[in-house]
PDB file of all heavy atoms in Angstrom:
ATOM      1  N   GLU A 265       8.196 -24.548-100.956  1.00  0.00           N
ATOM      2  CA  GLU A 265       9.569 -24.587-101.482  1.00  0.00           C
ATOM      3  C   GLU A 265       9.747 -25.359-102.782  1.00  0.00           C
ATOM      4  O   GLU A 265      10.842 -25.870-103.050  1.00  0.00           O
ATOM      5  CB  GLU A 265      10.484 -25.204-100.415  1.00  0.00           C
ATOM      6  CG  GLU A 265      10.289 -26.725-100.164  1.00  0.00           C
ATOM      7  CD  GLU A 265       9.378 -27.079 -98.982  1.00  0.00           C
ATOM      8  OE1 GLU A 265       8.530 -26.247 -98.607  1.00  0.00           O
ATOM      9  OE2 GLU A 265       9.517 -28.199 -98.461  1.00  0.00           O
ATOM     10  N   HIS A 298      13.605 -19.317 -95.243  1.00  0.00           N
ATOM     11  CA  HIS A 298      13.179 -20.691 -94.941  1.00  0.00           C
ATOM     12  C   HIS A 298      12.984 -21.489 -96.239  1.00  0.00           C
ATOM     13  O   HIS A 298      13.535 -22.582 -96.386  1.00  0.00           O
ATOM     14  CB  HIS A 298      11.883 -20.657 -94.119  1.00  0.00           C
ATOM     15  CG  HIS A 298      11.344 -22.000 -93.758  1.00  0.00           C
ATOM     16  ND1 HIS A 298      11.576 -22.594 -92.541  1.00  0.00           N
ATOM     17  CD2 HIS A 298      10.583 -22.885 -94.459  1.00  0.00           C
ATOM     18  CE1 HIS A 298      10.990 -23.779 -92.508  1.00  0.00           C
ATOM     19  NE2 HIS A 298      10.361 -23.976 -93.658  1.00  0.00           N
ATOM     20  N   GLU A 299      12.222 -20.931 -97.160  1.00  0.00           N
ATOM     21  CA  GLU A 299      11.955 -21.675 -98.408  1.00  0.00           C
ATOM     22  C   GLU A 299      13.240 -21.846 -99.207  1.00  0.00           C
ATOM     23  O   GLU A 299      13.475 -22.891 -99.802  1.00  0.00           O
ATOM     24  CB  GLU A 299      10.887 -20.981 -99.258  1.00  0.00           C
ATOM     25  CG  GLU A 299       9.563 -20.690 -98.549  1.00  0.00           C
ATOM     26  CD  GLU A 299       8.978 -21.843 -97.755  1.00  0.00           C
ATOM     27  OE1 GLU A 299       9.184 -23.006 -98.145  1.00  0.00           O
ATOM     28  OE2 GLU A 299       8.308 -21.573 -96.724  1.00  0.00           O
ATOM     29  N   HIS A 302      15.337 -24.629 -97.822  1.00  0.00           N
ATOM     30  CA  HIS A 302      14.808 -25.953 -98.147  1.00  0.00           C
ATOM     31  C   HIS A 302      15.472 -26.540 -99.400  1.00  0.00           C
ATOM     32  O   HIS A 302      15.447 -27.758 -99.596  1.00  0.00           O
ATOM     33  CB  HIS A 302      13.300 -25.872 -98.422  1.00  0.00           C
ATOM     34  CG  HIS A 302      12.434 -26.171 -97.229  1.00  0.00           C
ATOM     35  ND1 HIS A 302      12.667 -27.213 -96.375  1.00  0.00           N
ATOM     36  CD2 HIS A 302      11.299 -25.557 -96.771  1.00  0.00           C
ATOM     37  CE1 HIS A 302      11.718 -27.228 -95.430  1.00  0.00           C
ATOM     38  NE2 HIS A 302      10.887 -26.238 -95.644  1.00  0.00           N
ATOM     39  N   LYS A 320      13.165 -32.318 -92.507  1.00  0.00           N
ATOM     40  CA  LYS A 320      13.368 -31.105 -93.306  1.00  0.00           C
ATOM     41  C   LYS A 320      12.833 -29.854 -92.595  1.00  0.00           C
ATOM     42  O   LYS A 320      13.423 -28.796 -92.692  1.00  0.00           O
ATOM     43  CB  LYS A 320      12.781 -31.264 -94.709  1.00  0.00           C
ATOM     44  CG  LYS A 320      11.257 -31.196 -94.833  1.00  0.00           C
ATOM     45  CD  LYS A 320      10.844 -31.268 -96.309  1.00  0.00           C
ATOM     46  CE  LYS A 320       9.343 -31.284 -96.531  1.00  0.00           C
ATOM     47  NZ  LYS A 320       8.698 -29.963 -96.498  1.00  0.00           N
ATOM     48  N   GLU A 321      11.714 -29.980 -91.872  1.00  0.00           N
ATOM     49  CA  GLU A 321      11.108 -28.766 -91.311  1.00  0.00           C
ATOM     50  C   GLU A 321      11.819 -28.273 -90.044  1.00  0.00           C
ATOM     51  O   GLU A 321      12.121 -27.096 -89.921  1.00  0.00           O
ATOM     52  CB  GLU A 321       9.611 -28.969 -91.064  1.00  0.00           C
ATOM     53  CG  GLU A 321       8.788 -29.173 -92.347  1.00  0.00           C
ATOM     54  CD  GLU A 321       8.945 -28.072 -93.377  1.00  0.00           C
ATOM     55  OE1 GLU A 321       9.504 -26.998 -93.061  1.00  0.00           O
ATOM     56  OE2 GLU A 321       8.539 -28.296 -94.542  1.00  0.00           O
ATOM     57  N   THR A 324      15.110 -26.902 -91.132  1.00  0.00           N
ATOM     58  CA  THR A 324      15.036 -25.658 -91.903  1.00  0.00           C
ATOM     59  C   THR A 324      14.566 -24.490 -91.027  1.00  0.00           C
ATOM     60  O   THR A 324      15.024 -23.368 -91.189  1.00  0.00           O
ATOM     61  CB  THR A 324      14.153 -25.860 -93.151  1.00  0.00           C
ATOM     62  OG1 THR A 324      14.667 -26.971 -93.876  1.00  0.00           O
ATOM     63  CG2 THR A 324      14.160 -24.634 -94.044  1.00  0.00           C
ATOM     64  N   VAL A 325      13.689 -24.760 -90.070  1.00  0.00           N
ATOM     65  CA  VAL A 325      13.324 -23.691 -89.123  1.00  0.00           C
ATOM     66  C   VAL A 325      14.562 -23.284 -88.326  1.00  0.00           C
ATOM     67  O   VAL A 325      14.838 -22.096 -88.151  1.00  0.00           O
ATOM     68  CB  VAL A 325      12.187 -24.128 -88.162  1.00  0.00           C
ATOM     69  CG1 VAL A 325      11.971 -23.086 -87.066  1.00  0.00           C
ATOM     70  CG2 VAL A 325      10.883 -24.345 -88.927  1.00  0.00           C
ATOM     71  N   TYR A 382       7.634 -28.384 -86.460  1.00  0.00           N
ATOM     72  CA  TYR A 382       8.443 -27.238 -86.892  1.00  0.00           C
ATOM     73  C   TYR A 382       9.264 -26.646 -85.731  1.00  0.00           C
ATOM     74  O   TYR A 382      10.493 -26.649 -85.780  1.00  0.00           O
ATOM     75  CB  TYR A 382       7.538 -26.143 -87.466  1.00  0.00           C
ATOM     76  CG  TYR A 382       7.150 -26.337 -88.914  1.00  0.00           C
ATOM     77  CD1 TYR A 382       6.383 -27.427 -89.317  1.00  0.00           C
ATOM     78  CD2 TYR A 382       7.534 -25.429 -89.888  1.00  0.00           C
ATOM     79  CE1 TYR A 382       6.006 -27.600 -90.640  1.00  0.00           C
ATOM     80  CE2 TYR A 382       7.165 -25.586 -91.225  1.00  0.00           C
ATOM     81  CZ  TYR A 382       6.406 -26.669 -91.599  1.00  0.00           C
ATOM     82  OH  TYR A 382       6.045 -26.833 -92.909  1.00  0.00           O
TER      83      TYR A 382
HETATM   84 ZN1   ZN B   2       9.459 -25.605 -94.327  1.00  0.00          ZN
END
Side-chain angles (χ1 to χ4, degrees):
E265 70 264 24
H298 180 97
E299 306 313 329
H302 265 316
K320 75 176 177 82
E321 294 305 348
T324 305
V325 172
Y382 277 64

